[in-house]
Every structure is written in C-alpha cells, then in structure tokens.
Amino acid sequence: MDWLTTVDHKKIGILYFLAGGFFFLAGGIEAILIRIQLMYPDLHIFVGGTFNQLLTMHGTTMIFLAAMPLIFGFMNAIIPLQIGARDVAFPFVNSLGFWLFFFGGLLLNLSWFMGGAPDAGWTAYAPLSSDTYSGRGVDFYVVGLQIAGIGTLIGGINFLVTIINMRAPGMTFMRMPLFTWTAFITSALILFAFPAITVGLVELMFDRLFNGNFFEVGQGGNVVLWQHLFWIFGHPEVYILILPAFGIISEVVSTFSKKVLFGYSSMVFATMVIGFLGFMVWAHHMFATGLGPVANSIFGVATMAIAVPTGVKIFNWLFTMWGGHIRFTVANLWALGFIPTFVMGGVTGVMLAVPTADFQYTDSYFVVAHFHYVIVGGLIFGIFSGLYYWWPKITGRLLSEGVGKVHFWFFFIGFHLTFFPQHFLGLIGMPRRVFTYLPDQGLDTMNFISSIGAFLMGVGTIAFMYNMIITGMKKKDAANDPWDARTLEWAIPSPAPEYNFKQTPLVRGLDALWKEKMAGNKEMTPAEPLGPIHMPSGSILPFFMSLGLFIAGFGFMYGKHTFETEFFNTLFNNYIIAGSGLAITLVCMLLRSVYDDHGWHIEVEELEEKGVKA
C-alpha cells in the first residue's frame, strides 16, 4: 500500500524504473519478433497486419513508455539530491504524473488483448490512422498517449519549479551539476513540445470517435496537418530523450576521469542551444512531403546547425578524459561506448539533413539505422551508464562489475551488428516497415546478421536482469560515496534517508562535494542548524484520479461500439462509463482541494537517533 500512496521522490523514481523497465522488455520482445520475421526472405511468421502491429507497438512503447519513464526515474531519484533539496516542489503532482503515465501505458498495451494493437506506425500518419484504414487499435493509441502525456507534462512542470526554487544555499545556476542542467532544459522542452502532440491527438480522437474532419480530405481536412503537429512535438521529443543522457555521460566521464568537466559553461550553453534549435527543425522529417525548395533549404540548414553544439559536447568529453586518471568501471564503459556510437548516429543525421540526398534515404532502412544509433546508441547506453553509476545511491547495493561487463559487451557488439548493416540495406533500397523481401536481391546476408545482433542484445539484457536479481539478494553495504564522486548526492548515506539531507548543505562551488573533499572536510558544511524536518503526507488520490481517466478512456473508445448485450450498449453508448470515469477524477480533485493536508514533521530527537544508527 505504501507504494500506491507514496509521494517520496525516491520511491516514485523506483516506480518509474520498474514500469519503464517492464515496458522496455515488452518493446524489446516486439523488436526481436520483428527481427525473426526479417531473418530470411519470404518468411510467413508475422505477416501483414500482425507485423504492422508489432512495428507500431515497438516504436510507441520504446519512445513513450520505456525511454521517457526511465529518464523520469533518474530525474526523480537524483535531481533533488543533486541540488540539496528534501523533495520535489510538488510531491503530490509527482505521484499523479507517475500514475497517469502508468495507466496510459497500460491502456495502450491492453489493445493486444482487445481486438488488436495500433497498426498505423508509431508516427500514426493520417490517413493511415483514420478509422477508414486502421482498426480499433489506434483508438487505444490516441487515448492512452493522451493520458500518459498529461502525466509527462505535469512532471516536466514539477521539475522546472523544483530546479528553479529548491536549490540549496550557494548553488547558483552555474554551480548546478550537468545532469541537473540537462534535466532542466528537458523539462522546458516538455512544457513546450507536449501541447503540440496533445492537440494532434485530440484532433485525431475527434475524427475517430466523434465524426470530426480534421484529417478527412473529402470533408476539407488536411493530412499534412497531422505531420506538422506530430513533428513539432516529435523533434523536440528526441532532444527530451537525449539531453538527460548527455547529462549522465557528463557526470560519469568527469567522475571516472578524476577531473572537473572540461568547458563546463560551454556545455551548459550548448545544452541551451540544442534545446532552442530543437524547435526549428521539425520539417526535416517532411522533406519528401512537397513543402518546396525554400522551406526544405531552411530546415536543412537549421538541422545542420544543431551538429555544432552537439560537437562541442563530444570534444568536451574527450578533453575531460585527456590526461585524466581513467577507471574502466562498467558505468564508464557505457559512457565510452556512447561517444563514438553517438557520433556515428550524428553523422548519418547530417547526411539526412541534406534535402536532395534525403529524397534517396527517406523511408529506407538508412533512416532506421540512423535513429537507432542515436536513440539506442545514445539514450539507452546513457541510461545503462546511469544505472550502473547511481544504483548504489538508489538501492544501497553495488551491481556486479563482472556480470556488468558481460552485459556491456553482448549489448554493445549486438547493437552494432544489428544496426550497422541497416545503413547499407537502406542505401541499396530496402524500404522500412516492410514485413518481407525477395531472395537474391542482395538483402539476405545483412538481414540475417542484423537479426543475430538483435539476439545478442537480448542476451545482454538478460545478463543485466540477472545482475539486478543477484545484487538485490545481497545486503545493503554500499558506501556513501563508492566512486569517489564530485556532486552532492554522494554526501549522504546510500540509499538516501527519506528526508535526504539532515541539514541543508552549503554549496561553495561547482562539484560541491569535491570542493569540500579538497578542503579536507569529511562532509558538507551545513547551511542551517539541526531542526525538525517537514515531510509531505502520502495520498491515494493520484492513483484514483488516474484510474478515473483510464475508465473514462474506455468509455469514450467504446461509445459507438455495438455490444451483444443490451446492458453494455446502454452503459457505453450513452457515455455512462465515460462520465463515471471523469466523475471519479473530478471527485478526487475536489477532495484534494477541500481537505487541507499539512504533512508531518521528523523531530530532532528522531534525527539524532537515526544519525547514531547510520
């Protein structure tokens, strides 16, 4: 019950990791099934519609339900500790954000058991996603992503406020760790990008459920409108995903090189520039749509410009390692694997930014190779690096380095085996999203290699799960600071106590903990005397608010469905289910407004007892 009602950012972080990890496995299984079907020419295992469902759900699950929550897991578990705060600004909203995401993702995945998953591709282009061309699955996509999207949006707002308002005394913006900076910029991107996809999904929902005409060409609608709305969200989304990974890599490279991050201020500025330019390049996904030479040229040049701040980051990481005392821990192996892999993904990105060339590459496996190099080779490598790095701080136990190396090498080699050949498959003309191909077209060998690589990545992931299980059986014996690291989160016990900091620390410079170590201090200088600590109370309301929207979603989706029994027809066709779901949510909101909860305090005596134990 404690986990359903918790508003503690550390527990919510763990919930995000569990849910994101579950969806990551689901998306990974879908990917392996796709690669089984494409292993040999002319296979008939997952054909046509089934393949489209696998493909759509793989993309949607990995982007919205695996990558995003894993990033939010890190933001929840680490950001308050890095800035010296006791919790996020709005603990209740934090919990609500998680449960909305969870129920949205659950709704989307229930489509497998309720008449078929969405099958219009993860980008859900109209008119493919209209009810003329696709089944009920797209209703699940539209409603599930809206519910999950609200959760992400309020999470982003929460972290913006937390980072602006909750920093410890002395922690100016230019003293924040880079992971905090990237999370800050990411939250701002979420704030501006998610409304666009929300509008698009609402319009698609009206088309599908309430006879709207936004994308119905025969009624004066416009199918290109969906592409604009989707990509105005979709391109910032890839920076929402990759920037926190950049932050993690910056922390890891700096810690394991025993050096301050090279060019800190340029790293911060580069992050801002990437966030800013990320909103100006969306139409590079639409070069073949027919926007005309002027628009294509402008978006092509803007896209190439993003390579500049990204290059700044790459060189700063290399210069941080230059002359450093480098330790090859598993966390650092992932970071070192990240850098060249991400550069390769970036190079193909610049190739795709040339509109004339893009006419050749577009909708081929070259594009698939490109975005997997940046999202798997960038984001997922970054996430694994962060997991090995912060695992002791989150759980109090160190992951096995030996098993970790098995995980790394299987996944790393498997990744390159899977996606490197796909560049060439695309260049010789294999279109993406096809479920089979003819023999003797020069596609057989590379598809076979690609599928073998996918199995190796699967083996690597199993090794990681084994690592988690054997580590979970050990006793909690991690030191406060097992890596001899530089930032505030390593100044407190592992795992962090529920109040985080007994006394708010005083920050005296960049890499606050390292500064104290260099001054010969054993711990942080406190900024306040020991006093009672105010804690927020847990609440079950976020769970029921989200459950209400989940029920309402079903009510709206099946509002026009004809059931076999009259009872169900009455309930759904009169929107009674939808109304009652919304009613649950609204009643919870009312209760939250009327009932004033002042939280509770941990008294000084308790703190001193805990201090003795620690």
Side-chain angles (χ1 to χ4, degrees):
M1 191 61 185
D2 181 35
W3 288 92
L4 294 182
T5 61
T6 185
V7 294
D8 178 1
H9 70 95
K10 297 174 287 296
K11 286 189 171 170
I12 292 172
I14 291 172
L15 286 171
Y16 269 118
F17 281 129
L18 289 170
F22 170 74
F23 287 126
F24 180 73
L25 290 178
I29 290 166
E30 285 151 6
I32 284 176
L33 296 179
I34 290 171
R35 284 316 318 168
I36 288 173
Q37 164 62 25
L38 291 171
M39 199 162 173
Y40 296 105
D42 271 341
L43 280 184
H44 292 283
I45 306 170
F46 306 107
V47 182
T50 315
F51 186 84
N52 289 349
Q53 291 177 27
L54 279 174
L55 191 106
T56 304
M57 283 303 284
H58 165 68
T60 311
T61 304
M62 284 305 203
I63 297 281
F64 294 105
L65 308 179
M68 289 296 292
L70 289 171
I71 283 169
F72 264 102
F74 280 119
M75 285 162 69
N76 268 293
I78 304 302
I79 296 286
L81 305 183
Q82 282 202 332
I83 61 175
R86 295 228 162 92
D87 207 316
V88 293
F90 308 118
F92 181 91
V93 174
N94 201 11
S95 169
L96 180 61
F98 169 76
W99 288 111
L100 283 168
F101 144 73
F102 180 74
F103 279 115
L106 191 63
L107 183 77
L108 183 54
N109 275 281
L110 283 176
S111 60
W112 283 114
F113 311 105
M114 302 184 69
D119 53 0
W122 81 273
T123 51
Y125 273 18
L128 281 181
S129 53
S130 68
D131 45 11
T132 317
Y133 296 104
S134 61
R136 163 142 287 131
V138 178
D139 291 342
F140 285 88
Y141 174 96
V142 167
V143 177
L145 286 188
Q146 279 183 83
I147 296 172
I150 300 168
T152 306
L153 182 63
I154 60 179
I157 294 170
N158 201 351
F159 280 102
L160 276 176
V161 179
T162 302
I163 294 171
I164 292 170
N165 280 350
M166 311 276 289
R167 286 165 293 137
M171 180 163 285
T172 57
F173 272 103
M174 292 311 277
R175 285 178 181 174
M176 295 196 313
L178 247 183
F179 178 65
T180 305
W181 258 115
T182 52
F184 182 58
I185 305 289
T186 286
S187 302
L189 293 181
I190 288 172
L191 182 62
F192 291 114
F194 266 79
I197 189 75
T198 308
V199 169
L201 288 168
V202 167
E203 291 183 356
L204 187 55
M205 178 174 77
F206 271 80
D207 274 17
R208 291 184 60 92
L209 301 180
F210 309 119
N211 303 324
N213 295 315
F214 290 105
F215 310 119
E216 296 290 338
V217 178
Q219 309 289 335
N222 184 345
V223 290
V224 178
L225 175 66
W226 167 267
Q227 293 191 31
H228 279 294
L229 285 171
F230 185 87
W231 288 118
I232 286 173
F233 148 81
H235 203 82
E237 163 72 5
V238 297
Y239 293 107
I240 290 169
L241 294 174
I242 201 68
L243 284 177
F246 286 168
I248 293 169
I249 299 300
S250 303
E251 304 279 330
V252 170
V253 164
S254 168
T255 296
F256 293 116
S257 302
K258 278 278 174 61
K259 278 177 66 184
V260 68
L261 190 70
F262 184 92
Y264 171 86
S265 51
S266 67
M267 286 295 248
V268 170
F269 187 64
T271 310
M272 291 178 182
V273 171
I274 290 173
F276 180 69
L277 288 177
F279 279 98
M280 302 187 179
V281 296
W282 79 90
H284 66 211
H285 298 269
M286 301 166 58
F287 281 151
T289 311
L291 300 175
V294 176
N296 281 3
S297 308
I298 291 169
F299 282 104
V301 170
T303 305
M304 294 175 204
I306 287 201
V308 178
T310 315
V312 169
K313 286 181 171 293
I314 299 287
F315 283 110
N316 282 348
W317 289 322
L318 294 177
F319 290 141
T320 304
M321 291 187 283
W322 183 267
H325 178 69
I326 301 175
R327 284 173 291 164
F328 291 97
T329 59
V330 178
N332 204 21
L333 283 177
W334 284 107
L336 298 178
F338 167 98
I339 296 172
T341 311
F342 189 79
V343 170
M344 291 169 74
V347 168
T348 52
V350 176
M351 291 169 70
L352 287 159
V354 184
T356 42
D358 184 74
F359 273 81
Q360 300 300 322
Y361 308 137
T362 197
D363 271 337
S364 77
Y365 257 82
F366 188 82
V367 180
V368 177
H370 156 70
F371 69 73
H372 283 87
Y373 259 78
V374 286
I375 290 181
V376 184
L379 170 69
I380 301 299
F381 283 21
I383 283 175
F384 279 137
S385 178
L387 283 171
Y388 280 95
Y389 181 59
W390 278 309
W391 199 265
K393 191 51 67 185
I394 296 167
T395 67
R397 303 175 179 92
L398 280 149
L399 285 165
S400 155
E401 290 281 307
V403 181
K405 288 187 168 124
V406 173
H407 168 208
F408 170 75
W409 286 112
F410 266 104
F411 199 93
F412 184 76
I413 293 167
F415 165 78
H416 285 284
L417 272 182
T418 304
F419 296 110
F420 193 70
Q422 291 184 8
H423 293 102
F424 302 101
L425 284 170
L427 291 176
I428 58 178
M430 181 169 172
R432 61 194 278 203
R433 300 182 176 183
V434 290
F435 68 87
T436 189
Y437 50 94
L438 292 169
D440 305 321
Q441 304 270 322
L443 307 174
D444 310 19
T445 315
M446 286 190 278
N447 269 302
F448 182 76
I449 294 170
S450 193
S451 293
I452 297 300
F455 299 144
L456 291 181
M457 286 163 85
V459 173
T461 310
I462 291 167
F464 180 63
M465 289 161 68
Y466 172 71
N467 203 347
M468 287 195 293
I469 292 164
I470 58 168
T471 305
M473 291 172 171
K474 293 194 310 193
K475 66 178 198 297
K476 297 186 180 183
D477 56 356
N480 291 8
D481 181 16
W483 309 122
D484 194 16
R486 315 178 72 86
T487 44
L488 274 181
E489 74 268 29
W490 303 103
I492 55 174
S494 306
E498 58 183 337
Y499 48 82
N500 296 354
F501 295 89
K502 197 184 292 184
Q503 292 160 282
T504 304
L506 179 67
V507 174
R508 300 197 299 168
L510 178 63
D511 287 350
L513 178 62
W514 191 255
K515 192 149 182 87
E516 300 295 329
K517 286 183 191 173
M518 291 300 101
N521 300 332
K522 287 275 184 279
E523 53 187 30
M524 295 299 299
T525 313
E528 58 176 12
L530 199 57
I533 296 174
H534 175 261
M535 300 293 288
S537 306
S539 171
I540 194 70
L541 289 178
F543 180 84
F544 280 109
M545 276 186 186
S546 310
L547 183 66
L549 285 183
F550 178 78
I551 294 167
F554 270 109
F556 284 119
M557 280 191 299
Y558 286 93
K560 290 199 286 195
H561 186 71
T562 316
F563 291 91
E564 286 165 15
T565 55
E566 198 49 46
F567 175 63
F568 280 128
N569 279 332
T570 314
L571 278 182
F572 279 92
N573 297 354
N574 298 325
Y575 293 109
I576 294 172
I577 297 283
S580 49
L582 288 176
I584 294 173
T585 302
L586 290 168
V587 167
C588 288
M589 290 165 81
L590 181 72
L591 286 172
R592 169 74 179 160
S593 307
V594 174
Y595 174 63
D596 210 13
D597 187 345
H598 292 293
W600 51 288
H601 283 85
I602 299 178
E603 298 304 331
V604 180
E605 296 77 45
E606 290 180 70
L607 286 173
E608 281 165 351
E609 282 169 29
K610 286 181 180 169
V612 172
K613 282 179 198 161

